[in-house]
Amino acid sequence: MPVASYAIAGHGVRNFISSSSSSIHRHNFPFTVRSILKITPLYSPFNRNYAAAAVSSSSSTRDITNSIENAGNFTWNDVFEVSQSENGSSDLGGFFQKINLCNRGSEKRFDFIPFVIEDQIVGYVHNGFVDHLSKFKDVFTIMKDNAHETQSGHVTLQSALKTPESRTEALGNVVKCLGEEVFPGIRNELYPVTSSYGGRVYFSLERAAAPYFGIKAYGIHMNGYVEKDGKKYLWIGKRSETKATYAGMLDHLVAGGLPHGMSCAENVVKECEEEAGIPRPISSRAIPVSVVSYMDIDGYRFKRDVLFCYDLKLPESFIPHNQDGEVGSFKLLPVTLVGDVIRNTEFFKANCNLVIIDFLFRHGFIKPEDDGYLKLLQSLRSGDCS
Amino acid sequence: MPVASYAIAGHGVRNFISSSSSSIHRHNFPFTVRSILKITPLYSPFNRNYAAAAVSSSSSTRDITNSIENAGNFTWNDVFEVSQSENGSSDLGGFFQKINLCNRGSEKRFDFIPFVIEDQIVGYVHNGFVDHLSKFKDVFTIMKDNAHETQSGHVTLQSALKTPESRTEALGNVVKCLGEEVFPGIRNELYPVTSSYGGRVYFSLERAAAPYFGIKAYGIHMNGYVEKDGKKYLWIGKRSETKATYAGMLDHLVAGGLPHGMSCAENVVKECEEEAGIPRPISSRAIPVSVVSYMDIDGYRFKRDVLFCYDLKLPESFIPHNQDGEVGSFKLLPVTLVGDVIRNTEFFKANCNLVIIDFLFRHGFIKPEDDGYLKLLQSLRSGDCS
């Protein structure tokens, strides 16, 4: 590991510590706080897309999502140039906007019918998507009822599929058969299918297919932070430009879906090693601190995600190193700047915004005196948090 | 201020720092962790009352509440003798029980009718309590509708009472007239009447009367903690034996209702000074971290409380001193012991349990691996959190 000497500056000229796979360099940020306050407060390269979103159909929503998911066409310099409020702004509008980004399409909730296993609702399937499934008569039973001009009924599995293993295999074949065209981004990573966290696992399903079945997905997100002279800094990653999803966008130091059979604590240690090269003696100090949840409908996809949030206070001397090629580079940014980046841009992968807003609450950067405090706090758990 | 030298011990024999109005002494806790594990795990002097609660009528509920509110008949030694789990137990049952203590009587919610001002619901009044109010024909208008054998309708103020001042005066006279017999514990402290936090204040009402009108009440509760060698300790108060409510019970270092016209931040500084002698240079470092809420129906009283939670990391050398006579003494206890006291006893004033459970979540003492994690986390905001 290369060694770098550096300092975290207070006000005035700031030095940002950065780390990439090839080198560690020192970025001398050439603006004082006062000078950057003059920069346009709302830096949003996606405004054009958002105007379009207001009149979106199902297909245009997909286009917008893709553009957002691959919209990391900005540099760290663009991040540094985001207006930074010296004592934090009290306008929470930009935060509410990011909550909404993760909770789209609630008005389309009734276009979905329940996916039921053994009398438990484990997911939701779009009425249009049911047509894909109806071809697999040995796997699915579809009970549709349009008699009263309402979309009702439910999807279940054929009664012959009694064991988790047989269901996992049958659904695995469906995913293979429909392939990348229907389920883009297949990862060969299985998610457990349950009705609630810690509950019985009915079978396992390919991660990329989970949103099409409205399966609840659980993950861990970790805020890695440093405290220096009473000021807090967050390590932020910029996703690799070659990632299939959200390429080039800002991300947590460490985050990952919760695979079948692994505890949150084990997953944090594993992802710390893979994503940031954090050794177990340090990563085992990460503490579970909160939970955020959201419910996002986008075309046929119904995401019902619950993220377990962790905080890890890192030593000042620690420099992260990505091991799995998924992160391009890391930088250590003042929490106040990170808050302003969330407020004023869409640089972060959408669900990271929620976890960092939760961090801002727990560390006192958002205050009861800010208009909308209670509403914003509650909106961090807009999804089914079970 | 007297000066005391002391140490916070790790495992084995523990020293607890204590502070009372007259002296500071060092309590040598004579048990090792292993020996105290042998003590009965569920220490609950109120079990008898709880058996009664299962068959309670409105009046017996009141009796139980009074016994709880005045049930601080235990000593610090009883606190120290509570079983302490070395690494924290994963059984959350005792925590759920404390959440329920603050959220009683939800099945009686429909015995209440809305209290409406200018088309906004600002509270709820019990059908039986309406009889008291109906005597004040120049103050209240009561719209009752029993036509369909359901209790419906609403209470509002006479249309002549147009200004906040005239309403405050009229309600103040009602409180004076009905007096201590109806509203025990009158404090001459006014609470703002709103439909939500930060919203328009329609008038102000005596604090002791607020639950009888189902007014939303806001307060601040502060966890004062110390970190030493990676272990965390909480300063806990024991309420004065002469307090009108919850005498002798355990309490936060600092807590208070939010009076009309005062911000949470100002209130924290004020209460820090009054309740624990914490000077402004230290108290201004308290950070807002979370919110808990509950909804408690007890006879005619409908509490709809929202508590803003603060954390203050105190210097090891700081010793609190109560200034207003409301606290008998303070002690610094390991967070793990505080968790076990909450889990296994009813020593704490009921709503303090919620704020400390929230602390246990945010500081990693309750983990996603503990059965019921998500349910417990959500139950901390069982009330209307707006």
Side-chain angles (χ1 to χ4, degrees):
Chain A
M1 183 189 287
V3 175
S5 70
Y6 61 89
I8 303 170
H11 293 292
V13 176
R14 287 158 188 273
N15 304 306
F16 291 93
I17 304 159
S18 71
S19 139
S20 71
S21 53
S22 57
S23 67
I24 297 177
H25 62 275
R26 184 167 165 171
H27 180 91
N28 292 309
F29 185 39
F31 301 108
T32 63
V33 171
R34 291 201 180 281
S35 76
I36 59 176
L37 279 172
K38 291 175 190 156
I39 294 167
T40 320
L42 186 66
Y43 186 102
S44 173
F46 314 117
N47 276 347
R48 207 162 50 91
N49 286 333
Y50 269 83
V55 291
S56 69
S57 68
S58 175
S59 63
S60 68
T61 303
R62 168 69 70 84
D63 294 343
I64 290 162
T65 306
N66 285 344
S67 77
I68 291 171
E69 289 183 1
N70 299 299
N73 53 349
F74 59 87
T75 67
W76 280 113
N77 272 339
D78 295 324
V79 174
F80 302 144
E81 286 176 14
V82 170
S83 158
Q84 189 176 3
S85 17
E86 199 152 354
N87 294 310
S89 158
S90 65
D91 178 10
L92 306 183
F95 295 141
F96 278 110
Q97 197 191 15
K98 301 312 171 302
I99 304 276
N100 293 341
L101 261 186
C102 288
N103 291 281
R104 297 168 302 171
S106 60
E107 72 284 1
K108 296 176 190 146
R109 200 169 167 177
F110 300 104
D111 295 345
F112 290 75
I113 59 174
F115 181 25
V116 176
I117 312 279
E118 298 183 24
D119 295 331
Q120 295 292 316
I121 295 178
V122 297
Y124 294 90
V125 181
H126 192 279
N127 274 299
F129 191 72
V130 166
D131 297 339
H132 284 296
L133 305 185
S134 60
K135 298 168 203 159
F136 300 90
K137 296 200 188 306
D138 52 340
V139 179
F140 301 101
T141 301
I142 293 152
M143 319 286 281
K144 255 188 155 176
D145 171 19
N146 291 322
H148 306 287
E149 292 180 24
T150 57
Q151 299 284 7
S152 61
H154 67 270
V155 178
T156 186
L157 295 182
Q158 283 291 355
S159 56
L161 299 169
K162 285 199 193 317
T163 65
E165 294 74 19
S166 63
R167 293 165 182 161
T168 301
E169 193 187 341
L171 269 289
N173 288 334
V174 169
V175 171
K176 258 189 215 148
C177 191
L178 293 174
E180 277 284 334
E181 200 179 323
V182 172
F183 304 116
I186 289 176
R187 298 165 177 237
N188 298 312
E189 193 181 321
L190 292 177
Y191 265 11
V193 175
T194 63
S195 59
S196 64
Y197 179 69
R200 188 169 154 207
V201 177
Y202 296 102
F203 64 99
S204 299
L205 182 66
E206 160 60 32
R207 178 173 172 172
Y212 294 88
F213 290 91
I215 300 304
K216 295 196 73 178
Y218 301 89
I220 58 99
H221 274 236
M222 196 189 79
N223 298 293
Y225 73 102
V226 171
E227 200 162 355
K228 161 102 177 160
D229 299 333
K231 281 175 71 88
K232 286 174 180 157
Y233 299 77
L234 273 166
W235 275 107
I236 299 297
K238 193 166 188 302
R239 292 165 73 91
S240 161
E241 301 292 340
T242 60
K243 280 275 284 186
T245 53
Y246 310 100
M249 295 190 80
L250 299 185
D251 203 341
H252 271 107
L253 180 58
V254 166
L258 196 59
H260 189 180
M262 186 175 283
S263 75
C264 287
E266 288 168 330
N267 201 25
V268 167
V269 169
K270 171 183 157 283
E271 296 284 353
C272 273
E273 178 61 40
E274 291 174 7
E275 297 202 343
I278 304 175
R280 184 179 288 265
I282 295 179
S283 63
S284 58
R285 287 182 228 149
I287 55 171
V289 286
S290 188
V291 172
V292 301
S293 64
Y294 50 93
M295 208 180 68
D296 189 63
I297 292 176
D298 168 31
Y300 287 166
R301 299 191 297 180
F302 193 160
K303 276 196 186 176
R304 300 193 301 141
D305 292 358
V306 177
L307 305 180
F308 294 91
C309 310
Y310 283 73
D311 274 4
L312 175 58
K313 190 173 178 180
L314 286 159
E316 283 176 49
S317 58
F318 178 78
I319 308 276
H321 287 273
N322 180 246
Q323 311 291 311
D324 61 7
E326 298 200 351
V327 185
S329 55
F330 292 106
K331 287 195 191 286
L332 187 67
L333 308 182
V335 172
T336 47
L337 173 60
V338 175
D340 281 338
V341 170
I342 290 177
R343 208 192 298 264
N344 298 326
T345 78
E346 279 148 24
F347 287 169
F348 271 97
K349 176 170 172 279
N351 62 1
C352 296
N353 290 308
L354 272 59
V355 179
I356 299 178
I357 293 171
D358 182 86
F359 182 94
L360 297 176
F361 268 107
R362 288 181 296 98
H363 291 261
F365 291 91
I366 300 176
K367 299 180 166 63
E369 289 74 23
D370 299 338
D371 192 26
Y373 179 86
L374 289 175
K375 190 176 174 194
L376 184 67
L377 182 63
Q378 289 186 90
S379 70
L380 290 174
R381 296 189 195 137
S382 294
D384 171 3
C385 203
S386 66
Chain B
M1 183 189 289
V3 175
S5 70
Y6 61 89
I8 303 170
H11 293 292
V13 176
R14 287 158 188 274
N15 305 305
F16 292 93
I17 305 158
S18 71
S19 138
S20 71
S21 52
S22 58
S23 68
I24 297 177
H25 63 275
R26 186 167 165 169
H27 180 90
N28 292 311
F29 185 39
F31 301 107
T32 63
V33 170
R34 291 201 180 281
S35 76
I36 59 176
L37 279 172
K38 291 174 191 157
I39 294 167
T40 320
L42 186 67
Y43 186 102
S44 174
F46 314 117
N47 276 346
R48 207 162 51 92
N49 286 333
Y50 269 82
V55 292
S56 69
S57 69
S58 176
S59 63
S60 69
T61 303
R62 168 68 72 84
D63 293 343
I64 290 163
T65 306
N66 285 344
S67 78
I68 292 172
E69 289 183 1
N70 299 299
N73 52 350
F74 59 87
T75 67
W76 280 113
N77 272 340
D78 295 323
V79 174
F80 302 144
E81 285 175 14
V82 170
S83 158
Q84 189 176 3
S85 18
E86 198 153 353
N87 294 310
S89 158
S90 65
D91 178 10
L92 306 183
F95 294 141
F96 278 110
Q97 197 192 14
K98 301 312 170 302
I99 304 276
N100 293 341
L101 261 186
C102 289
N103 291 282
R104 297 168 301 170
S106 60
E107 73 283 1
K108 296 177 190 146
R109 199 168 168 179
F110 300 103
D111 295 345
F112 290 76
I113 59 174
F115 181 25
V116 176
I117 312 279
E118 297 183 25
D119 295 330
Q120 295 292 316
I121 295 178
V122 297
Y124 294 90
V125 181
H126 192 279
N127 274 300
F129 191 72
V130 166
D131 297 339
H132 284 296
L133 304 186
S134 60
K135 298 169 203 159
F136 300 90
K137 296 199 188 307
D138 53 339
V139 179
F140 300 102
T141 302
I142 293 152
M143 319 286 281
K144 256 189 154 176
D145 171 19
N146 291 322
H148 307 287
E149 293 181 23
T150 58
Q151 299 284 8
S152 61
H154 68 270
V155 178
T156 186
L157 295 182
Q158 283 292 355
S159 56
L161 299 169
K162 285 199 194 317
T163 65
E165 294 73 19
S166 63
R167 293 165 181 162
T168 301
E169 193 187 341
L171 269 289
N173 287 334
V174 170
V175 171
K176 257 188 216 149
C177 191
L178 293 174
E180 277 284 334
E181 199 179 324
V182 173
F183 304 115
I186 290 176
R187 298 164 177 238
N188 298 313
E189 193 181 321
L190 291 177
Y191 265 12
V193 175
T194 63
S195 59
S196 64
Y197 179 69
R200 188 170 154 207
V201 177
Y202 296 102
F203 63 99
S204 299
L205 182 66
E206 160 61 32
R207 179 173 173 172
Y212 294 88
F213 290 91
I215 300 304
K216 295 196 73 178
Y218 301 89
I220 58 100
H221 274 236
M222 195 189 80
N223 298 293
Y225 73 103
V226 171
E227 200 162 355
K228 161 101 177 160
D229 299 333
K231 281 175 70 89
K232 286 174 181 158
Y233 300 76
L234 273 166
W235 275 106
I236 299 297
K238 193 166 189 301
R239 292 165 73 91
S240 161
E241 301 293 339
T242 60
K243 280 275 284 185
T245 53
Y246 310 100
M249 296 190 80
L250 299 185
D251 203 342
H252 271 107
L253 180 59
V254 166
L258 196 59
H260 190 180
M262 186 175 283
S263 75
C264 287
E266 289 168 330
N267 201 25
V268 167
V269 169
K270 171 182 157 284
E271 296 284 354
C272 273
E273 178 62 39
E274 290 174 8
E275 297 202 343
I278 304 174
R280 184 180 287 265
I282 295 179
S283 63
S284 59
R285 288 183 227 147
I287 55 171
V289 286
S290 188
V291 172
V292 301
S293 65
Y294 50 92
M295 208 180 68
D296 190 63
I297 292 176
D298 168 31
Y300 288 166
R301 300 190 296 181
F302 193 160
K303 277 196 186 177
R304 300 192 301 141
D305 292 358
V306 177
L307 305 180
F308 294 91
C309 310
Y310 283 73
D311 275 3
L312 175 58
K313 190 173 178 180
L314 286 159
E316 283 176 49
S317 58
F318 179 78
I319 308 276
H321 287 273
N322 179 246
Q323 311 291 311
D324 60 7
E326 298 200 351
V327 185
S329 55
F330 292 106
K331 287 195 191 285
L332 186 67
L333 308 183
V335 172
T336 48
L337 172 60
V338 175
D340 281 338
V341 170
I342 290 177
R343 207 193 298 265
N344 298 326
T345 78
E346 280 149 23
F347 288 168
F348 271 97
K349 177 169 172 279
N351 63 1
C352 296
N353 290 308
L354 273 59
V355 179
I356 298 177
I357 293 171
D358 182 86
F359 182 93
L360 297 176
F361 269 107
R362 288 181 295 98
H363 291 261
F365 291 91
I366 301 176
K367 298 180 166 61
E369 289 73 23
D370 299 338
D371 192 27
Y373 179 87
L374 289 175
K375 190 176 175 196
L376 184 66
L377 182 63
Q378 289 186 91
S379 70
L380 290 174
R381 295 189 196 137
S382 294
D384 171 4
C385 203
S386 67

